[in-house]
């Protein structure tokens, strides 16, 4: 079973300019590489009655060019915010929305800009109902 | 004519939800401190970097730490007695204070983390 974070990242790669392991990474940080890094963030418990699950993913951008960093997260913002009723390979996403605007997380020691965007997902597993 | 007034509150439910929200806020702060420190931790061989941990120590208590033999030395950038100062890091952009700097930056935004999670509490 592919984890939700992997599934969503593949979905983003399929329908956007990002290329996995080139400028899009899951759960790992590549030093000195400009790109977007996706990490799971704490989220609320699944619904006891419906089985609906809630996921929160953080999209971190690290980029020497601040404008490019904002542009990357703007793409992700537009891609996920208020999007509803769509499928990834293993999940049905009822609704996704951005929990925040793009947040300035200062710079790393190399002077590259660090930005973060939190996206919330309300989902079911595709095979949850038979 | 007599009547009875009964006051019903759900403070116990609210306090439980609020505590869960505060736990999430601390989790998110810990995750962000961990992420920021990963951008800064000295990298030679990757050994120290891979020892980074975010743990739940107890109720409303989290810890982000690095282990390994040289974690403290590298963080201080010198030995405790001030000798053996690290003057050159193998990866540019990495250096001493990799964890405390990250913690300080996130701590400055603590109110925003707690407010965001508290706002999500619904009764």
């Amino acid at each position: 079973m592919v984890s939700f974070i992997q599934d969503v990242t593949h979905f983003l790669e399929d329908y956007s300019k990002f290329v996995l392991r080139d400028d899009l990474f899951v759960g790992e940080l590549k030093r000195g590489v400009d790109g977007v890094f996706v990490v799971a963030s704490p989220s609320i418990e699944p619904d006891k009655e419906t089985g609906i699950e809630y996921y929160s993913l953080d999209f971190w951008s690290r980029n020497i060019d601040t404008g490019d960093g904002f542009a990357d997260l703007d793409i992700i913002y537009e891609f996920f915010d208020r999007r509803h009723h769509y499928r990834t390979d293993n999940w049905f996403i009822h609704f996704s929305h951005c929990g925040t605007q793009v947040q300035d997380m200062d710079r790393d020691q190399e002077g590259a800009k660090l930005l973060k965007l939190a996206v919330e997902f309300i989902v079911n597993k595709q095979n949850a109902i038979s | 004519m007599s009547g009875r007034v009964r006051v019903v509150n759900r403070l116990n439910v609210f306090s439980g939800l609020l505590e869960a929200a505060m736990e999430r806020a601390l989790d998110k702060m810990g995750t962000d401190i961990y992420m920021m420190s990963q951008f800064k931790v000295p990298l030679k061989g990757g050994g120290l970097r891979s020892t980074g941990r975010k743990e739940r120590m107890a109720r409303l208590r989290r810890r982000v730490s690095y282990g390994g033999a040289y974690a403290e030395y590298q963080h201080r950038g010198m030995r405790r007695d001030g000798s053996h100062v690290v003057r050159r890091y193998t990866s540019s952009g990495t250096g001493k204070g990799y964890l405390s700097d990250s913690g300080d930056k996130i701590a400055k935004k603590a109110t925003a983390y707690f407010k965001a999670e508290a706002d999500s509490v619904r009764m």
Side-chain angles (χ1 to χ4, degrees), chain A residues 28-31 33 37-45 56 58 60-62 100 103-110 114 116 118 120, chain B residues 23-24 27-28 31-43 49 54 91-96 101 105-106 109 113 117 120:
Chain A
E28 62 170 335
L29 298 178
K30 286 276 188 184
R31 183 90 61 173
V33 173
F37 307 86
V38 192
V39 295
S41 181
S43 49
I44 61 176
E45 63 178 336
S56 180
D58 288 342
W60 284 73
S61 163
R62 182 264 182 204
T100 62
Q103 295 178 71
D104 188 332
M105 305 302 281
D106 216 331
R107 293 180 182 274
D108 70 6
Q109 290 293 84
E110 294 168 291
L114 297 175
K116 190 185 89 166
E120 317 283 339
Chain B
E23 292 274 7
R24 283 198 304 277
D27 267 341
K28 289 185 176 182
T31 301
D32 287 354
I33 291 169
Y34 171 79
M35 286 292 290
M36 289 180 75
S37 66
Q38 286 277 295
F39 281 106
K40 292 182 64 176
V41 66
L43 189 60
R49 190 186 194 192
K54 189 196 83 175
S91 298
S92 64
T94 63
K96 66 178 181 179
D101 284 0
K105 282 172 184 168
I106 297 299
K109 300 179 179 180
Y113 283 88
E117 291 303 323
S120 72

Side-chain angles (χ1 to χ4, degrees), chain A residues 68-114:
Chain A
D68 288 348
F70 272 103
D72 281 350
L73 292 190
D74 278 347
I75 290 171
I76 291 168
Y77 189 105
E78 294 296 328
F79 189 81
F80 287 119
D81 190 48
R82 292 185 298 149
R83 188 171 185 153
H84 56 88
H85 299 114
Y86 58 102
R87 292 175 191 274
T88 62
D89 288 340
N90 297 288
W91 303 81
F92 181 80
I93 300 178
H94 298 277
F95 189 64
S96 59
H97 68 103
C98 294
T100 62
Q101 294 295 324
V102 175
Q103 295 178 71
D104 188 332
M105 305 302 281
D106 216 331
R107 293 180 182 274
D108 70 6
Q109 290 293 84
E110 294 168 291
K113 195 69 186 165
L114 297 175

